[in-house]
Amino acid sequence: MIGIEVVLIAASFSFLAYVEGQNLLLGNSINIAGKNRFLSSASLLETERYLAGNAEKQDVDAALGDLEQNILLLRDGGEADGTRLSPLRPEFGDDWQQVYDDWLTYKESVDGITSVPPDTDASMQQVESAGAELVASSDALAGALGEFSRSESQNLVTLQIALGALNIAVHVFMLYLILKILRPIRSIRDATSEVKKGNLDVEVEKSGDDELRDLADSFNSMVQSLRESTHELKVSRQKYQEMYDKAPNPYRSINANGTIIDCNEAYVKSLGFAKKEDILGHSIFEHTAEQSMDDMKKSFEEWKRTGAVTNRQVWMKRKDGSAFPVSLSATSIYDEQTGDLIGSNTVIIDESEQYKARKMLEQANEELRSIDKIKDEFINVAAHELRTPVVPIILNAEELAEDLKDDNRVNVILRNARRITRLANDILDVSRIESNTFKVNKTAANMVTMIESAIEDASARIPEGRQVKIVLKNRLAAEDENALVDAGRMDQVLANLLENAVNFTEAGQITVSVERKGSDLHVSISDTGKGIDAAIQDKLFQKFVTKSDRAKGTGLGLYLSKAIVEAHGGRMWAENNKSGRGATFSFTLPTGPDAR
């Protein structure tokens, strides 16, 4: 209401000021119209002086220019000598046009005189007559403007009286509205004060059929909704408190200082107290075991900084001083207004049984490691002991083979003795791989030459009567054939792969290819045999994996070959051929500037 009154008063004063300003500008126009008389007299004087030879033509022209400028200023408005004018109102257009026409007649008369030399016998009568008409029309315009100004002044007085009456009427109406509105508003205010105190059993009396009745209805509906919501909240809080108190896991609630403000029965029981009152108000650090105190303090500071704690492992302390391991996870609580961290609800999981189980598992793992160590030691000793008696067997068998040229029994002895030697070496290599002591000694070697030698050795071991041929498909430029490899280990890889290919190929061709791809050498051995059985394809390069009707190996060859290639920084893989016959085993070897 006060705002409306202020706006009304301001608008009244603004309008009155505007009207007063317009009257002031109109008065300025009257003064300018009256100035035409003075400027006309000045131009007449300059004309007479010109005829008398006391003035120049430019003096007459200047006086005429001042008169013309004054007439145009009267029409267009503007500023002259610090006096501001508004453009002439349209209703005075005809009066001004008469002034301008008289001016043109007057100017023509003056120009007629100034067009002849000074001291010429010329009559001023026509000029004076035209000047008198110009002054008369100017006076008529000034008179019309003056009459209009007086009328506007009277209207202004009338307007001031009307606005004053309007202001009084508005004040009376506002007083009526205040008296009508104030009573129900006070009622709503008093009811609101009661609601703020927590009293929801209030109701505002409804009267009339206007907006205040609607406001009272809305207030009463709001209070009813508050009553219902408060009841639901109370029921929900009771349910939550029951769930909190009866939860099987220990719960505690703390403030931002780490002081316990609530806890459940499981928490009281797990710490060995009789009731929660013995716990509330105490610090969480009083329930932290000494071995976890530093960890708990760091965790508390981290929670205050990040608002999060998840599965934090600490040791807690019971009332009797005994410690037990737990896992903490906290849900942070924030102030709804400021968003500041004000506390947390923490669930605590006793991990005593898990800790015992973990300790038993660690003990079992330690025992397994001891057993594994004993196993490795036994394998090493057994492998060495196997090789010790085999060496003289091989030497003596080789001498017998020289003496008994065609005795197959000696060849059987040699073949099986060498097989025992390879088995012992393979076992030792597996042991080194698993203990991370397997190493390769790399030097620059010609891979193509090594492949050709391996093909020659494998071809010599193809059983008699089997139609199998081993070929080298392509060669490389001489400068691309070298790689940094352990020659003995790489020969072992090639021999294993070629032996497998021979064992699984009844007839056909085994193709060895070698290519350079980027900075790697790519070696592939492809056969036309039975292919890789689907049952073992996923675990082909694991230990002791074998499925062969012909080969009697231990299943260590591919495992060792892959480990050797990877020790060189390469990789090995296998796949069945797309033709449906045979398989291809491939591996890569990195090359470098030192290998060339």
Side-chain angles (χ1 to χ4, degrees):
M1 291 296 183
I2 295 175
I4 294 175
E5 183 179 1
V6 170
V7 170
L8 181 60
I9 293 174
S12 299
F13 277 109
S14 298
F15 183 70
L16 290 174
Y18 170 75
V19 173
E20 189 68 34
Q22 292 299 311
N23 286 342
L24 179 61
L25 294 175
L26 187 59
N28 293 339
S29 298
I30 295 172
N31 292 335
I32 293 299
K35 191 177 178 182
N36 283 348
R37 176 185 291 273
F38 168 73
L39 294 176
S40 298
S41 299
S43 65
L44 282 172
L45 179 61
E46 290 297 329
T47 305
E48 290 174 353
R49 290 180 68 231
Y50 174 79
L51 289 176
N54 296 326
E56 299 292 333
K57 183 178 184 300
Q58 57 264 32
D59 296 328
V60 178
D61 291 340
L64 288 174
D66 290 341
L67 179 56
E68 181 183 21
Q69 183 179 0
N70 196 70
I71 293 171
L72 294 176
L73 179 65
L74 184 61
R75 182 192 67 182
D76 300 331
E79 189 171 332
D81 299 330
T83 301
R84 182 172 171 270
L85 279 79
S86 61
L88 195 64
R89 299 172 70 92
E91 54 261 40
F92 300 109
D94 293 340
D95 294 326
W96 181 88
Q97 187 62 45
Q98 183 62 50
V99 172
Y100 190 71
D101 291 342
D102 292 342
W103 146 252
L104 293 176
T105 303
Y106 174 71
K107 184 176 184 299
E108 183 178 356
S109 300
V110 173
D111 288 342
I113 291 177
T114 56
S115 62
V116 298
D119 300 325
T120 302
D121 187 13
S123 174
M124 284 286 293
Q125 183 177 1
Q126 184 180 359
V127 174
E128 290 173 350
S129 175
E133 291 180 2
L134 174 60
V135 170
S137 61
S138 295
D139 289 344
L141 176 58
L145 289 172
E147 184 63 31
F148 182 79
S149 177
R150 283 190 295 277
S151 175
E152 287 294 298
S153 296
Q154 292 175 357
N155 292 338
L156 180 61
V157 172
T158 302
L159 180 62
Q160 287 176 333
I161 294 172
L163 288 175
L166 178 62
N167 274 315
I168 293 173
V170 168
H171 277 78
V172 172
F173 180 68
M174 288 176 59
L175 181 61
Y176 165 75
L177 290 179
I178 289 172
L179 293 175
K180 182 179 180 181
I181 294 173
L182 192 58
R183 185 180 296 109
I185 287 180
R186 282 179 177 172
S187 176
I188 293 175
R189 183 197 64 186
D190 294 342
T192 302
S193 178
E194 289 297 314
V195 170
K196 288 174 64 177
K197 295 176 183 177
N199 179 16
L200 298 179
D201 296 324
V202 294
E203 186 174 355
V204 176
E205 181 181 354
K206 296 177 285 187
S207 60
D209 56 358
D210 55 7
E211 289 83 356
L212 288 174
R213 179 183 177 86
D214 294 338
L215 180 61
D217 281 336
S218 298
F219 182 85
N220 291 334
S221 296
M222 179 193 71
V223 173
Q224 178 63 26
S225 297
L226 280 174
R227 280 197 293 266
E228 294 173 357
S229 298
T230 302
H231 177 71
E232 292 175 0
L233 183 62
K234 187 180 295 184
V235 172
S236 176
R237 186 177 295 167
Q238 288 175 349
K239 290 181 179 178
Y240 167 77
Q241 192 65 42
E242 290 177 4
M243 292 174 60
Y244 183 93
D245 289 336
K246 302 300 182 182
N249 289 320
Y251 273 75
R252 72 183 178 197
S253 300
I254 66 171
N255 61 20
N257 298 321
T259 301
I260 301 173
I261 57 177
D262 198 6
C263 63
N264 66 350
E265 296 174 3
Y267 188 85
V268 176
K269 184 178 179 181
S270 65
L271 292 180
F273 287 91
K275 55 186 182 300
K276 71 162 61 177
E277 285 72 22
D278 297 333
I279 293 174
L280 301 185
H282 291 262
S283 171
I284 58 174
F285 298 108
E286 296 181 28
H287 303 154
T288 303
E290 192 62 35
Q291 63 261 44
S292 290
M293 189 64 71
D294 291 340
D295 223 13
M296 189 64 179
K297 288 179 179 179
K298 290 178 182 177
S299 177
F300 183 71
E301 292 303 319
E302 179 183 345
W303 165 72
K304 292 178 69 175
R305 186 175 63 256
T306 65
V309 173
T310 304
N311 296 329
R312 183 59 55 89
Q313 310 295 321
V314 297
W315 285 76
M316 292 185 67
K317 182 175 62 176
R318 298 186 181 91
K319 182 180 179 181
D320 61 7
S322 61
F324 62 103
V326 299
S327 173
L328 305 179
S329 293
T331 302
S332 298
I333 305 171
Y334 296 90
D335 188 286
E336 293 182 357
Q337 302 297 325
T338 64
D340 295 334
L341 182 66
I342 59 174
S344 74
N345 290 325
T346 305
V347 59
I348 301 168
I349 299 176
D350 189 333
E351 293 193 337
S352 298
E353 294 301 321
Q354 293 91 322
Y355 178 77
K356 292 178 182 177
R358 189 163 57 248
K359 281 297 183 183
M360 292 176 63
L361 182 61
E362 289 175 359
Q363 183 177 357
N365 286 335
E366 185 63 32
E367 292 175 357
L368 284 174
R369 282 191 290 271
S370 298
I371 293 171
D372 201 43
K373 183 178 180 182
I374 294 171
K375 177 206 70 174
D376 291 340
E377 291 174 352
F378 172 77
I379 289 173
N380 286 330
V381 171
H384 282 292
E385 291 300 320
L386 274 174
R387 290 193 301 177
T388 300
V390 168
V391 172
I393 292 173
I394 293 174
L395 291 175
N396 286 297
E398 287 175 345
E399 290 180 3
L400 281 173
E402 287 292 327
D403 296 336
L404 306 172
K405 296 292 184 181
D406 297 322
D407 195 332
N408 190 49
R409 293 173 297 173
V410 177
N411 292 330
V412 171
I413 293 171
L414 273 173
R415 186 166 60 252
N416 284 281
R418 287 168 179 160
R419 183 179 176 189
I420 291 173
T421 301
R422 286 198 303 274
L423 176 60
N425 290 334
D426 287 348
I427 291 173
L428 286 174
D429 285 342
V430 169
S431 178
R432 294 187 186 104
I433 291 169
E434 292 183 342
S435 62
N436 293 319
T437 59
F438 183 80
K439 290 182 174 56
V440 292
N441 299 313
K442 294 187 284 187
T443 58
N446 188 300
M447 279 299 299
V448 174
T449 301
M450 293 179 63
I451 291 171
E452 288 175 337
S453 297
I455 289 174
E456 184 178 348
D457 292 343
S459 297
R461 291 196 295 273
I462 296 174
E464 186 176 349
R466 193 182 300 179
Q467 301 299 313
V468 178
K469 184 179 181 181
I470 306 175
V471 298
L472 179 61
K473 183 178 179 181
N474 57 323
R475 295 185 62 93
L476 300 172
E479 64 272 14
D480 290 333
E481 294 179 351
N482 288 346
L484 284 174
V485 296
D486 184 321
R489 292 297 185 181
M490 194 50 56
D491 183 64
Q492 184 179 350
V493 172
L494 293 169
N496 278 334
L497 295 180
L498 287 170
E499 182 178 356
N500 278 349
V502 169
N503 287 337
F504 284 93
T505 304
E506 188 69 29
Q509 179 172 290
I510 298 171
T511 304
V512 183
S513 65
V514 56
E515 305 174 79
R516 179 174 290 278
K517 294 185 178 180
S519 60
D520 292 344
L521 277 180
H522 186 115
V523 180
S524 295
I525 298 175
S526 180
D527 60 55
T528 56
K530 297 170 60 176
I532 303 169
D533 195 302
I536 64 169
Q537 187 160 8
D538 292 340
K539 50 187 178 179
L540 189 62
F541 293 100
Q542 296 178 12
K543 292 181 295 184
F544 310 117
V545 175
T546 180
K547 188 172 184 182
S548 170
D549 298 331
R550 188 180 302 278
K552 304 299 182 182
T554 60
L556 294 175
L558 290 178
Y559 170 78
L560 291 172
S561 297
K562 186 172 185 290
I564 292 169
V565 169
E566 290 177 349
H568 282 80
R571 63 190 187 92
M572 177 177 285
W573 67 97
E575 56 191 353
N576 285 319
N577 295 332
K578 293 180 180 179
S579 64
R581 293 187 60 202
T584 298
F585 285 76
S586 304
F587 65 90
T588 62
L589 290 174
T591 62
D594 295 337
R596 300 200 173 200

